[in-house]
Amino acid sequence: MNQNVNPDNPNGTGNPQRARHSVMRNPLLIMLAGCLIALIGFGVRSSLGLFLEPMTTARGWTRETFGFALALQNLFWGLGLPVAGALADKYGSTKVISFGAVLYAIGLYGMAASESSAALNVFAGVLSGLGIAFSAFTLALAMMVRMVGPEKRSLVLGLGTAAGSLGQVLFSPISQGFIQTVGWSATMTGLAIVVLSMIPLVFILSGSSISDEQQSKAALSQTLREAISEAFSHRG
């Protein structure tokens, strides 16, 4: 019987060096993927106001029509966040963020194709708002903090938040430049494609998370009532 059992590989299977290498690079992968998700999500949303003038001019709408659609977007964003959080606890953040990215992209593409105020309200307001909620960077941040210890969680949250702010800085001038060169409709379609890039990023984020399965099992053991009770009992 072989007594030389490797402590890094007690079952005697697989490549322990490869496993150690994977563990070492996981934090970088999860940080990069999470920050890019925050950058894209916040950046695209922050650039939507730039479409007010070209869209209202092209469609013959008033500013109030465009503003009402974005107000609906904010409303459904807020309403969808707790639902997205609950579904992420039950089914995992990967599925929720992927679904949100698809919904968000459909909303943006439909926004570019909308020719009536009703269609604009549906695509720019309802679908985009829910898409933003279900692909919220807060879900990605929750996945990011699982890879680090308590002493580094503030750093991870700070980097993720900073990435979202950086997205606002980058996407506004880039979107404005594309609106002036290729037109607002093509630019909106391009933003929809960019939003879809969050899907492979969230799978990288999930694949890099060592404790994702353990976290999901722990979340499943807690009921919604228990979660709400815990939240209200916290002084924060």
Side-chain angles (χ1 to χ4, degrees), residues 9 15 31 36-37 53 57 67 74 76 78 89 120 123 126 143 153-154 156 159 162 167 180 188 192-193 195 202 231:
N9 188 25
N15 189 332
M31 293 277 285
L36 286 175
I37 290 174
E53 183 176 354
T57 301
N74 287 331
F76 279 90
D89 281 341
L120 182 68
F123 288 107
V126 179
M143 300 176 72
R153 286 178 181 173
S154 297
V156 170
L159 288 174
Q180 294 175 349
M188 185 75 73
I193 296 173
V195 165
V202 76

Side-chain angles (χ1 to χ4, degrees), residues 44-45 48 51 73 101-114 123-124 127-128 132 184-185 188-195:
V44 171
R45 178 183 171 273
L48 294 182
F51 293 88
Q73 182 184 103
V102 172
L103 205 61
Y104 196 179
I106 293 174
L108 291 173
Y109 182 79
M111 184 177 176
S114 296
F123 288 107
L127 293 183
S128 292
I132 294 172
W184 66 268
S185 182
M188 185 75 73
T189 303
L191 290 178
I193 296 173
V194 171
V195 165

Side-chain angles (χ1 to χ4, degrees), residues 9 12 20 24 28-29 97 100 109 119 124 137 149 157 169 195-197 199 209 213 219-220 225 232:
N9 188 25
R20 284 196 297 269
M24 290 176 63
L28 286 178
L29 283 176
I97 294 178
Y109 182 79
F137 83 103
L157 293 174
V169 174
V195 165
L196 289 176
S197 68
I199 296 177
S209 179
E213 183 178 354
L220 285 173
R225 178 176 296 181
F232 276 101

Side-chain angles (χ1 to χ4, degrees), residues 18 34 36 38 45 56 63 75 77 83 91 98-99 106 112 114-115 136 138 141 163 169 187 196 208 212 227 230-231:
R18 182 179 299 176
L36 286 175
R45 178 183 171 273
T56 53
R63 291 178 298 176
L75 177 63
W77 178 21
V83 178
Y91 300 106
S98 298
F99 174 73
I106 293 174
S114 296
E115 296 184 357
T138 51
L141 288 180
V169 174
T187 302
L196 289 176
S208 298
D212 186 63
E230 179 183 351

Side-chain angles (χ1 to χ4, degrees), residues 126-172:
V126 179
L127 293 183
S128 292
L130 292 176
I132 294 172
F134 279 71
S135 62
F137 83 103
T138 51
L139 299 178
L141 288 180
M143 300 176 72
M144 291 171 66
V145 297
R146 294 173 186 167
M147 284 299 300
V148 298
E151 70 282 357
K152 294 183 179 180
R153 286 178 181 173
S154 297
L155 174 62
V156 170
L157 293 174
L159 288 174
T161 305
S165 300
L166 179 61
Q168 292 178 306
V169 174
L170 292 178
F171 271 82
S172 294

